[in-house]
Amino acid sequence: MARLGEFERIDRYFRPLAAPGALGLGDDAALIDGPTGEQLVLTADAIVAGVHFFSDDPADLVARKLLRVNLSDLAAMGAAPVGYLLTTALPASCDEPWLEAFARGLAADQAEFGIGLLGGDSVASPGPATLSLTALGRVASGRAIRRNGARAGDVVFASGTLGDGALGLKVLKGELPALAPEHCRFLAGRYHLPQPRLALGGRLAGLAHAMIDVSDGLVADLGHICATSGVGARIAAPRLPLSPAAAAAIAAEPRLIAAALGGGDDYELVFTAPGAAAAALSDLAAALALGITAIGEIVPGEGVAVTDRDGQPVAVAAGGYRHF
Amino acid sequence: MARLGEFERIDRYFRPLAAPGALGLGDDAALIDGPTGEQLVLTADAIVAGVHFFSDDPADLVARKLLRVNLSDLAAMGAAPVGYLLTTALPASCDEPWLEAFARGLAADQAEFGIGLLGGDSVASPGPATLSLTALGRVASGRAIRRNGARAGDVVFASGTLGDGALGLKVLKGELPALAPEHCRFLAGRYHLPQPRLALGGRLAGLAHAMIDVSDGLVADLGHICATSGVGARIAAPRLPLSPAAAAAIAAEPRLIAAALGGGDDYELVFTAPGAAAAALSDLAAALALGITAIGEIVPGEGVAVTDRDGQPVAVAAGGYRHF
């Protein structure tokens, strides 16, 4: 039997096991009762050397990305981070200097995000470095922003810029040799060190109807919002917010717009809100010095449709972003 | 540089990262504030095929053991289980039937322990199956039983029987060919399917001063209690509670007593309590139909000393149990 995709595997084998707080495994994180007036938010991700990161990536960046990817899931629920548990299964090649750098990366991000290590496990493995992190956050009771609240008529917004993560991976694989060095550095940095949008996520309660972070790609992740909300979405490709580096890459090679539509690893927030929220969002964008861009709208129906500058449909590869 | 042991790695690289609730990574689990009157308890363990379990072990038993090992950590804090997050990094050889069996094992234990899956991640890996589980429990505020409360004069107690896990592994490796088949089945079962002592752990608040579960071996794990409590312990080898199967194996080969002293994977509770608690513990043992055996005492000083039937010191390999 052919191996099912990971989404299908989760659907078939793990969703039936979900506890009520798991939200059907259909959200960025689980919600459980916390101290009075709060809910605790739990999420976990695993990464494998050679699959989700390069074996020779600097260990401090591997650590920080693993942590930030999980913090991004907390941000996507509107939660604030509390701490994390970490398990490492490491081959002999992850020696003491590697581990020292790995711990240094964690320490840097603990300071940056005001969190601490709560526990974990450290084991040896004959296989590739395999790292699993469970992040714990908190949110005011009833204020978590789910994926299932999008309504027809909502505007779709994205934070920051899209496509940088996927283009950064192309830079690291040597696939964009003609791009200016400063653009290459920027994009590689966006791939290696995502910025979880915790400040923004925490300010969107009462404004956003539905939210997700872009880990698998805009179309795939917005598709999760549409599927769980029972709606469709229309995205205008020319409105996607691009960094100068991504804009330069796409100007030189227009098909690279696919990185902004279907590429993953951006860890920006995509959310839906009524048009009336636009002024408040504009204020918020200014206060946070973070772009918030209207990129489309929620419509009745299903699925995510993308149009080009002439209003013509743009084909996007199904299934979202696939890792290298 | 030679690779440090996992304990040393945790000491050097991870302990400096510990949050206050992590209890210095020196306990079975972390404690954080929960709903009014409760604390939440968090613990994580990772296992790797070929290191912590056999690649051809039945997948349902792998799943259940992974879950139970974590539940045992909750039991060792006196906590009740709530749910868990699971990440799986699986090679192609873990096919759909494997995964179906794995999920079936989880479902069986979810029903048995009244818990549910809260989240996780499922990724492909070119390496051995690597599974990481974070378990969440709850305990009345201030009632968690730590490792650091042992006092000179306390009696050391153990639940159930010791050595079965390590002897079960020997059975599975074909190293006990002369042992009767029913004993072999019992020991292999104890290795594959530990019984987290949740009912006992939950009833020991107010009785036990310090507690741990036996995962690395009695001497190593009691040594953790001693180190964090600033005391020593004396254990009488003839008082160790043995199953009929373990007793038969040791009668035939006396050196196998090392399995009860230094072998891991028993997941029994070892705790210290004042001698005055003996009557209450006896009642508890009867109520739970679970043996609770006094095996030694806490003394001033440090380290765990073991004596034989003649009161002579027994040498125990340092560092506790090492996996195959």
Side-chain angles (χ1 to χ4, degrees):
Chain A
M1 192 186 317
R3 178 165 175 162
L4 298 172
E6 299 305 334
F7 287 125
E8 292 78 12
R9 286 190 151 201
I10 291 168
D11 262 345
R12 182 176 298 183
Y13 299 112
F14 294 113
R15 205 173 309 285
L17 301 173
L23 311 178
L25 306 184
D27 236 297
D28 290 287
L31 289 173
I32 63 165
D33 289 341
T36 305
E38 286 190 350
Q39 287 175 294
L40 294 174
V41 187
L42 288 159
T43 185
D45 276 297
I47 58 174
V48 179
V51 182
H52 306 91
F53 64 95
F54 295 102
S55 296
D56 60 354
D57 275 344
D60 57 330
L61 292 179
V62 173
R64 298 174 80 179
K65 182 163 181 177
L66 172 61
L67 189 50
R68 287 164 180 235
V69 163
N70 280 280
L71 297 184
S72 182
D73 282 320
L74 299 181
M77 300 286 281
V82 171
Y84 65 103
L85 296 94
L86 172 69
T87 67
T88 63
L90 300 178
S93 59
C94 292
D95 54 8
E96 303 311 318
W98 190 95
L99 205 51
E100 189 280 331
F102 186 82
R104 189 174 63 239
L106 292 175
D109 272 3
Q110 288 191 188
E112 179 160 345
F113 297 107
I115 58 176
L117 177 64
L118 289 168
D121 197 8
S122 167
V123 300
S125 172
T130 302
L131 309 163
S132 176
L133 193 142
T134 297
L136 175 73
R138 60 194 173 84
V139 67
S141 291
R143 301 285 277 180
I145 302 171
R146 306 272 308 273
R147 293 180 181 174
N148 65 359
R151 304 169 201 172
D154 279 358
V155 179
V156 179
F157 295 90
S159 69
T161 54
L162 296 173
D164 298 330
L167 291 171
L169 178 57
K170 284 185 181 294
V171 166
L172 292 167
K173 292 165 79 175
E175 296 176 5
L176 298 178
L179 196 64
E182 69 271 23
H183 291 330
C184 289
R185 278 194 298 275
F186 172 84
L187 294 171
R190 286 275 287 162
Y191 173 78
H192 273 142
L193 200 62
Q195 300 294 330
R197 301 303 187 188
L198 289 157
L200 175 61
R203 302 277 289 273
L204 289 176
L207 288 173
H209 287 160
M211 184 153 60
I212 195 169
D213 67 324
V214 180
S215 55
D216 292 325
L218 171 65
V219 170
D221 290 315
L222 181 56
H224 295 314
I225 284 182
C226 289
T228 55
S229 297
V231 295
R234 287 196 197 123
I235 297 300
R239 295 165 72 182
L240 297 187
L242 300 178
S243 65
I250 292 168
E253 180 61 65
R255 69 171 178 78
L256 291 177
I257 189 66
L261 286 167
D265 272 318
D266 281 325
Y267 300 100
E268 296 294 347
L269 295 179
V270 168
F271 58 96
T272 82
L281 291 172
S282 178
D283 291 349
L284 192 50
L288 298 175
L290 174 66
I292 299 177
T293 306
I295 61 172
E297 56 273 322
I298 297 295
V299 296
E302 62 179 9
V304 178
V306 181
T307 53
D308 66 13
R309 74 184 66 186
D310 303 315
Q312 297 301 306
V314 174
V316 178
Y321 181 62
R322 298 294 180 188
H323 287 280
F324 58 101
Chain B
M1 191 186 318
R3 177 166 176 158
L4 298 173
E6 298 305 334
F7 287 126
E8 292 78 13
R9 286 190 151 201
I10 291 169
D11 262 344
R12 182 176 298 182
Y13 299 112
F14 293 112
R15 206 173 308 284
L17 302 173
L23 312 177
L25 305 184
D27 236 297
D28 291 286
L31 289 173
I32 63 165
D33 289 341
T36 305
E38 286 190 350
Q39 288 175 294
L40 295 173
V41 187
L42 288 159
T43 185
D45 276 297
I47 58 173
V48 179
V51 181
H52 305 92
F53 63 96
F54 295 103
S55 296
D56 60 354
D57 276 344
D60 57 330
L61 292 180
V62 173
R64 298 175 80 180
K65 182 164 181 177
L66 172 61
L67 188 51
R68 288 165 179 234
V69 163
N70 280 281
L71 297 184
S72 181
D73 282 320
L74 298 181
M77 301 286 280
V82 171
Y84 65 102
L85 296 94
L86 172 70
T87 68
T88 62
L90 300 178
S93 58
C94 292
D95 53 8
E96 303 311 318
W98 190 94
L99 205 51
E100 190 279 331
F102 186 81
R104 189 175 62 238
L106 293 174
D109 272 4
Q110 287 191 190
E112 179 159 346
F113 298 106
I115 59 176
L117 178 65
L118 288 168
D121 197 7
S122 167
V123 300
S125 171
T130 302
L131 308 163
S132 177
L133 193 142
T134 298
L136 175 72
R138 60 196 173 83
V139 66
S141 291
R143 302 284 278 180
I145 303 170
R146 306 272 308 273
R147 293 180 182 174
N148 64 359
R151 305 169 200 173
D154 279 357
V155 178
V156 179
F157 294 91
S159 69
T161 55
L162 296 173
D164 299 329
L167 292 171
L169 178 56
K170 285 184 180 295
V171 166
L172 292 168
K173 292 165 79 174
E175 295 176 5
L176 299 177
L179 195 63
E182 69 271 23
H183 291 329
C184 289
R185 276 193 300 276
F186 172 84
L187 295 171
R190 286 276 287 163
Y191 174 79
H192 272 143
L193 200 62
Q195 300 295 330
R197 300 303 186 188
L198 290 157
L200 175 61
R203 302 277 289 272
L204 288 176
L207 288 174
H209 286 159
M211 183 153 61
I212 195 169
D213 67 323
V214 180
S215 55
D216 292 325
L218 170 65
V219 170
D221 290 315
L222 181 56
H224 295 315
I225 284 182
C226 289
T228 55
S229 298
V231 295
R234 287 196 197 122
I235 297 301
R239 295 165 71 182
L240 296 186
L242 300 178
S243 64
I250 293 168
E253 180 61 66
R255 67 171 179 79
L256 291 177
I257 189 67
L261 286 167
D265 272 316
D266 281 326
Y267 299 100
E268 296 294 346
L269 295 179
V270 168
F271 58 96
T272 82
L281 291 172
S282 178
D283 291 348
L284 193 48
L288 298 175
L290 174 67
I292 299 177
T293 306
I295 61 172
E297 56 274 321
I298 297 296
V299 296
E302 61 179 10
V304 178
V306 181
T307 53
D308 66 13
R309 73 183 67 187
D310 303 315
Q312 297 301 305
V314 174
V316 178
Y321 181 63
R322 298 293 180 188
H323 288 281
F324 57 102

